[in-house]
Amino acid sequence: MDLINATCQTIVMVAISLVGAYVFGIPLGVILVGTRKEGIFPNRFWNAILGWIVNTIRSIPFIILLVALIPVTRFLLGTGIGMAAVILPLIVACVPFVARMVETSLLEIDKGMIDAAVAMGASKLQIFFNIYLPESIPSLVRGAAITCIALIGYTAMAGMVDGGGLGQYAIYKGYYQYQYDQVIYTVIILVVLVEIIQLGFISLAKRLDKKRGNIK
Amino acid sequence: MVKVSHLSKDFETKEGKLEALHDVSFEIKAGEIFGIIGKSGAGKTTLLRILSQLERPSGGEVLINNSVIAKGDKVITNNKIKKTMGVVFQGYNLLMQKTVARNIEFPLKIAGVNKTKWDKRVNDLLRFVDLEDKKEAYPATLSGGQKQRVAIARALANSPKILLLDEPTSALDTLSTSAIISLLQKINQEEQVTIIIVTHEIGVVKKLCQRIAVINEGKVVDYGTVQEVFANPSNIATKQLLGV
């Protein structure tokens, strides 16, 4: 296992998990906002249940979740080890994280805009698709940077189930083979990755955000 | 056109019940410019929010075009009536991630107007409010007066019969205020739109309104033509507003 290979494994794990986390996290975040007392489809029961599930999963450290989910992973994928076996726990760990991020972004929307739409006679779905989503996109993109960086941290634990990636590489080379230079290279690559992600998402959010008056 | 009878509105607060409106009654005739005036906290915005069906009253009745839109503590949501009304909010409430054109066509989209008609309507409205060069601009790049004109154009998109405005000039300088007053007069005369304006600015009321209701502590304390009320203010609150 070389450094380039490990880097690629980390990127693949992060990319797939990020997509998976948003596919499930966005609807969950929307339901969390929508079922609030003042939401577009208020339902106190479901809001409490989903809020509790989200908080419970978020309170479990990833390394424990990874191990706890091995039977589920084995049942679904036929194996409890390898990269595929890490992606499922990564998604499970990140969905509640993304859901809360989406919830925060949606709640940032100026209530005045909603008033304007209600006064025009807009339906709840029209309000959702025309105001909530488009108005919160820059904030959602900024949130994606945080999720992505958190995911890199989680992938470091993939080595526990032989999932590969930079975390496993650093432990293998540094802890077992005393090649400390390789650990330093790993750290440098991680720092660069985080910087690229942060800069990339933030500049994308800036380009998308018309609220700041930076676009004609 | 608009008939408000014995309207009341209470808010539950930590300190107890707050009476925002109490036994408010007045009538607004078709085609007039009517002012709802009073100092901050008098209940003007609450009244406007009830008229635009954003707030539920606690009692009384509101009729718009002979349709009951609120009775007792119930709002009778009537999207047909909503589409005959345009509302301009104090903070403009424009969609910040959408261009001026997309903001103005938003009510058309909501009302299900055929997409092929949007562009012409937007262009007509931009010409009407004199903002043709800002069609593709985003609200963040506009001045307060320009944002207000976009908000007015948006409120006019579905050719409403009634235009409700909450403090439309309070954040504007003298020049922009004059421009908005002229625009509202043009809307009233050329488009025959009934205008209901909530304001605390006496100068604006004098230039624009034909009749007014003065609200103080949730009650109508003076009501009549601008000349009548200003010549013989019966209540101390009106006198304070007039500075006499």
Side-chain angles (χ1 to χ4, degrees):
Chain A
M1 187 162 104
D2 61 25
L3 194 53
I4 295 172
N5 202 4
T7 309
C8 290
Q9 285 173 341
T10 294
I11 292 172
V12 169
M13 277 191 276
V14 170
I16 298 176
S17 321
L18 189 71
V19 172
Y22 271 85
V23 165
F24 297 104
I26 289 181
L28 184 56
V30 168
I31 295 170
L32 281 172
V33 176
T35 51
R36 287 167 73 96
K37 196 176 153 199
E38 61 280 10
I40 54 174
F41 36 88
N43 188 315
R44 196 183 266 184
F45 175 76
W46 280 108
N47 188 272
I49 294 285
L50 291 172
W52 180 80
I53 293 173
V54 162
N55 289 346
T56 307
I57 299 176
R58 288 196 65 193
S59 63
I60 306 172
F62 181 66
I63 198 149
I64 296 174
L65 194 71
L66 184 67
V67 177
L69 282 176
I70 287 177
V72 183
T73 317
R74 199 174 283 147
F75 175 74
L76 290 173
L77 304 170
T79 175
I81 56 162
M83 197 200 283
V86 182
I87 289 174
L88 182 81
L90 278 175
I91 294 175
V92 172
C94 263
V95 166
F97 188 80
V98 171
R100 286 286 184 222
M101 204 86 84
V102 170
E103 185 186 24
T104 312
S105 295
L106 295 182
L107 290 175
E108 277 171 15
I109 301 290
D110 179 4
K111 294 286 169 288
M113 291 185 204
I114 316 291
D115 276 352
V118 173
M120 286 172 203
S123 68
K124 288 175 176 180
L125 271 182
Q126 283 174 321
I127 292 173
F128 180 72
F129 283 108
N130 290 288
I131 299 182
Y132 271 116
L133 271 192
E135 293 294 324
S136 63
I137 278 176
S139 171
L140 288 173
V141 172
R142 278 191 286 271
I146 301 172
T147 312
C148 204
I149 292 165
L151 263 171
I152 291 183
Y154 289 167
T155 60
M157 291 165 228
M160 277 290 296
V161 291
D162 199 23
L166 287 166
Q168 187 173 359
Y169 180 83
I171 291 170
Y172 181 72
K173 294 284 179 185
Y175 190 75
Y176 295 116
Q177 298 184 350
Y178 305 111
Q179 295 180 39
Y180 294 120
D181 57 332
Q182 295 299 312
V183 178
I184 291 167
Y185 295 147
T186 309
V187 171
I188 292 171
I189 290 174
L190 284 170
V191 170
V192 171
L193 269 180
V194 168
E195 282 297 327
I196 292 172
I197 288 165
Q198 184 70 23
L199 280 174
F201 277 103
I202 296 305
S203 64
L204 179 65
K206 261 190 187 165
R207 276 183 56 189
L208 291 171
D209 194 356
K210 311 294 192 282
K211 205 173 174 178
R212 291 161 189 266
N214 55 354
I215 289 179
K216 178 180 81 84
Chain B
M1 176 147 238
V2 177
K3 193 175 177 200
V4 175
S5 315
H6 308 292
L7 189 70
S8 66
K9 173 71 187 173
D10 306 322
F11 287 107
E12 290 298 331
T13 65
K14 277 179 192 164
E15 288 80 33
K17 201 167 81 174
L18 180 85
E19 208 172 30
L21 294 172
H22 177 76
D23 197 21
V24 170
S25 299
F26 59 83
E27 253 182 84
I28 300 169
K29 297 169 195 160
E32 75 174 336
I33 303 183
F34 189 86
I36 297 170
I37 68 169
K39 56 186 182 188
S40 303
K44 312 184 295 287
T45 298
T46 305
L47 180 54
L48 193 96
R49 287 179 66 83
I50 293 174
L51 293 179
S52 40
Q53 301 177 58
L54 288 172
E55 201 83 64
R56 182 193 295 264
S58 304
E61 190 179 64
V62 180
L63 275 127
I64 293 178
N65 279 336
N66 299 319
S67 298
V68 181
I69 62 145
K71 195 177 174 79
D73 60 356
K74 287 190 177 64
V75 169
I76 295 117
T77 305
N78 188 331
N79 279 349
K80 224 170 159 185
I81 291 289
K82 275 186 183 174
K83 279 157 196 166
T84 67
M85 298 167 75
V87 187
V88 177
F89 296 88
Q90 193 170 3
Y92 319 121
N93 294 357
L94 298 174
L95 309 179
M96 300 307 280
Q97 307 293 346
K98 287 193 162 72
T99 62
V100 166
R102 298 285 95 77
N103 263 283
I104 298 174
E105 72 188 23
F106 185 49
L108 303 171
K109 193 177 180 182
I110 298 297
V113 175
N114 194 315
K115 220 172 176 175
T116 53
K117 294 177 182 163
W118 294 0
D119 202 44
K120 188 184 176 300
R121 183 70 185 140
V122 169
N123 288 336
D124 288 348
L125 285 162
L126 284 171
R127 203 172 311 120
F128 190 77
V129 300
D130 199 18
L131 276 178
E132 283 163 291
D133 56 331
K134 297 290 179 192
K135 189 177 175 184
E136 296 307 323
Y138 285 92
T141 62
L142 304 178
S143 70
Q146 289 170 331
K147 280 183 197 158
Q148 189 61 282
R149 280 186 279 158
V150 175
I152 292 173
R154 183 176 70 175
L156 291 174
N158 279 323
S159 309
K161 299 273 176 287
I162 304 168
L163 186 62
L164 296 153
L165 301 107
D166 192 5
E167 300 277 6
T169 54
S170 63
L172 305 181
D173 58 42
T174 326
L175 216 63
S176 304
T177 298
S178 302
I180 294 294
I181 290 174
S182 308
L183 179 63
L184 293 176
Q185 283 166 334
K186 191 165 98 172
I187 292 165
N188 177 247
Q189 282 151 20
E190 291 180 15
E191 311 283 318
Q192 279 83 48
V193 175
T194 305
I195 293 180
I196 305 170
I197 174 172
V198 161
T199 184
H200 67 276
E201 290 173 289
I202 296 303
V204 174
V205 175
K206 280 181 180 163
K207 281 185 195 149
L208 199 60
C209 301
Q210 287 132 19
R211 291 193 316 128
I212 52 168
V214 182
I215 311 252
N216 188 48
E217 291 174 354
K219 298 182 188 98
V220 174
V221 292
D222 264 309
Y223 172 53
T225 66
V226 173
Q227 291 81 358
E228 281 165 13
V229 173
F230 284 9
N232 295 302
S234 64
N235 188 277
I236 186 137
T238 317
K239 286 177 187 167
Q240 278 172 350
L241 276 169
L242 290 170
V244 292

